[in-house]
Amino acid sequence: MADLARLAGVSKITVSRALADSPLVNPQTRGRIQELAREHGYKLNVSARNLRLRRSHTVAVIVEMKPTSDRTMLDPYPLTLLGGISQELTAAGYSVLLTTRQGASAAAVQAADGLILLGQGARQDAVRRFDKLGLPMVVWGAQGGSDAHVVIGSDNRLGGALVAGHFIRLGRRLPVFVGNPSHPEIYERLSGFVDALAEHGVKPLLIRRDEFTLASGTDAVHSLAARKVPFDALFACNDLLAMGAIRALQGLGREVPGDVAVVGYDDMPLAASFLPPLSSVHQDWQEGGVRLARKMLALIRGEPARSEMLPVSLVVRST
């Protein structure tokens, strides 16, 4: 930069501004300096700039999930969330560093300007673990009364209540909930479901399953059948569990929704094309990702940022 300043007969700060396309430098001078830079092969040393600014211009995104053959990272969670995040961060000049829990100790993650965590983990263990990195952090999940971080998520309690209302309108009195309420989001879905059913004197049965997969949904129904537990409605905490449950019910000769009404959660694209088309609670993953990124950018800039809850809706199809 000093060499370019000498060649152009200007100060180093003018060179810096010209190369950054600053309007503080008149267009003629700016063009002359940029042409000199091209002639002499000058390239901005990004690492040196970041070191000087004490910024990496990178945001680490940690996905708190264990990918399996049944539940891959190509699903709407987390892929659509990541699309919204990347859209906002790249437009703001930031790189996105994607990793999972296992890669969170990497030096590049610890050098990031901020951290977006997709999933709080059972009993918020992921939040506590990554808080130790000391980075600005935004979390996708369920809001709590003692949150120390910005949390963006859907209205899970409302989602559960919507499903309960749907079952009551269908005249179902023996509902089952399938999922793991150790996860804050799932707990909120169950709580909304239980409270809304209680208003009608109905108490659901909880079938705890830690894996949110097709196989786990199938196993849950087979477990109920083996114990001869009567049920006429099933609310699964995600769509894959619901689809697995339907396949198991069909294999047992039970009609959906004639014998058992089934509702999933997330409204993933496969839900509409599933046979029969799956009723599900819709979340706007894309908008969720955008909000996560915007909150992170605000924190990096030292601006105030507050938690937000996104609306959900029940999409009733054929189950």
Side-chain angles (χ1 to χ4, degrees), residues 76 239-240 243 246-247 250 267-280 315-319:
D239 287 343
L240 289 178
M243 292 173 188
I246 290 170
R247 288 290 176 258
Q250 292 171 332
D267 192 28
M268 61 191 296
L270 182 58
S273 58
F274 188 73
L275 293 176
L278 176 67
S279 298
S280 184
V315 180
V316 177
R317 297 191 178 97
S318 302
T319 62

Side-chain angles (χ1 to χ4, degrees), residues 58-63 73 78-79 82 95-100 109 118:
T58 297
V59 171
V61 179
I62 297 178
V63 181
M73 290 181 72
L79 194 60
L82 290 169
S95 298
V96 178
L97 175 61
L98 175 63
T99 187
T100 59
V109 173
L118 303 185

Side-chain angles (χ1 to χ4, degrees), residues 125-207:
D125 62 316
V127 174
R128 288 191 291 272
R129 175 178 179 176
F130 299 124
D131 186 47
K132 295 176 182 177
L133 294 176
L135 296 171
M137 186 161 72
V138 181
V139 181
W140 172 265
Q143 296 180 22
S146 58
D147 288 329
H149 305 288
V150 174
V151 179
I152 304 296
S154 295
D155 193 340
N156 292 285
R157 182 174 286 271
L158 173 60
L162 290 173
V163 177
H166 175 63
F167 286 162
I168 292 298
R169 286 190 294 275
L170 293 176
R172 307 304 163 110
R173 306 292 295 181
L174 299 170
V176 170
F177 180 90
V178 182
N180 181 357
S182 294
H183 292 265
E185 290 177 275
I186 309 306
Y187 176 79
E188 290 294 312
R189 292 170 198 176
L190 175 60
S191 296
F193 187 57
V194 170
D195 291 348
L197 288 173
E199 295 177 5
H200 300 272
V202 176
K203 184 176 181 180
L205 175 67
L206 169 63
I207 303 298

Side-chain angles (χ1 to χ4, degrees), residues 30-50:
R30 194 163 65 232
R32 183 161 54 89
I33 292 171
Q34 291 176 355
E35 180 60 31
L36 279 170
R38 285 190 291 272
E39 288 178 5
H40 292 273
Y42 177 89
K43 290 184 177 65
L44 178 66
N45 187 323
V46 175
S47 297
R49 180 201 63 183
N50 291 342

Side-chain angles (χ1 to χ4, degrees), residues 209-267:
R209 285 296 181 272
D210 294 337
E211 299 294 329
F212 304 150
T213 62
L214 287 163
S216 188
T218 300
D219 179 72
V221 168
H222 285 159
S223 173
L224 289 166
R227 290 181 285 150
K228 295 183 169 55
V229 177
F231 65 102
D232 58 9
L234 186 147
F235 176 26
C237 72
N238 84 334
D239 287 343
L240 289 178
L241 278 169
M243 292 173 188
I246 290 170
R247 288 290 176 258
L249 288 165
Q250 292 171 332
L252 294 169
R254 303 194 68 181
E255 292 186 0
V256 177
D259 297 323
V260 181
V262 179
V263 176
Y265 208 102
D266 293 338
D267 192 28

Side-chain angles (χ1 to χ4, degrees), residues 49-57 94 113 300-301:
R49 180 201 63 183
N50 291 342
L51 181 62
R52 176 172 57 84
L53 297 175
R54 296 186 179 179
R55 289 277 174 85
S56 66
H57 285 270
Y94 280 78
D113 294 338
I300 291 173
R301 295 165 184 157

